[in-house]
Each structure stands twice: as structure tokens, then as C-alpha cells.
Amino acid sequence: GPRAVIHTLQKGEVFGWAALVPPHQRTATARCVERVSLICLNGQELRELLDRSEHMGYVVMKNLSAILSTRLSHTTIALRREIRKLAAKPVAAR
């Protein structure tokens, strides 16, 4: 189906946090347009580590909630932009 760019990541930003947030389902895809280096973590092992260290778990989840809040704002703006574009099209073109 149609796709829309919701957010463009910059160096040092993260994506793919589904392993940390139940029900552990991905809600978006990512595509690299340049050569990148990635760090991939095993979600179950990371959750177990965070369970063992309450302080580390707190810090990670605090940072994750800030990321999610920002991404939700970006998503809202992008969806509004896409709705405006769709509403501006003549009915026959939809």
C-alpha cells in the first residue's frame, strides 16, 4: 500500500524498540538510504538484563519513553500532512 515518511533518523538515533514494549510487535519499517553501521541486540536478553538491574531498566525506559513521545509527535504531524494531501485531491482522483 501507500507509504509515508514519518521520521528520518540521524546519527545516534534508535529504532526497533518493539522487543522492549509488549506486545512486541513492529509498527513500522525502516529503510537506509546511505551506508550505515547498526547495533542489534537480542530483545529477550536485553529485557532480562533490565529486569536484573532496576536502575538500568529505569534509565532505558525513561529514555525510551522520551523517544516514543517524540516519534508520536512526528507521526501525528506526518499523518496530518498526508490527510491534507488526500483531501486536496479531486474526488475522481482518489
Side-chain angles (χ1 to χ4, degrees):
R3 296 181 181 192
V5 174
I6 302 299
H7 184 67
T8 302
L9 298 175
Q10 303 300 318
K11 183 177 181 177
E13 290 189 279
V14 300
F15 69 96
W17 55 76
L20 294 177
V21 182
H24 310 297
Q25 294 177 336
R26 294 184 185 117
T27 58
T29 59
R31 182 175 68 119
C32 298
V33 295
E34 297 178 0
R35 190 172 180 85
V36 299
S37 296
L38 296 175
I39 298 172
C40 298
L41 304 173
N42 179 297
Q44 182 176 345
E45 290 177 9
L46 179 57
R47 286 192 309 273
E48 290 169 1
L49 174 64
L50 299 178
D51 284 341
R52 288 192 304 270
S53 172
E54 291 179 1
H55 177 71
M56 186 185 308
Y58 169 74
V59 170
V60 168
M61 290 306 184
K62 183 173 74 167
N63 290 331
L64 180 59
S65 67
I67 291 167
L68 292 175
S69 176
T70 299
R71 300 286 170 81
L72 183 57
S73 295
H74 288 191
T75 301
T76 300
I77 292 166
L79 287 174
R80 286 181 183 157
R81 183 174 47 244
E82 293 300 317
I83 289 168
R84 279 195 297 271
K85 285 197 283 188
L86 183 60
K89 287 184 182 181
V91 174
R94 292 183 201 170

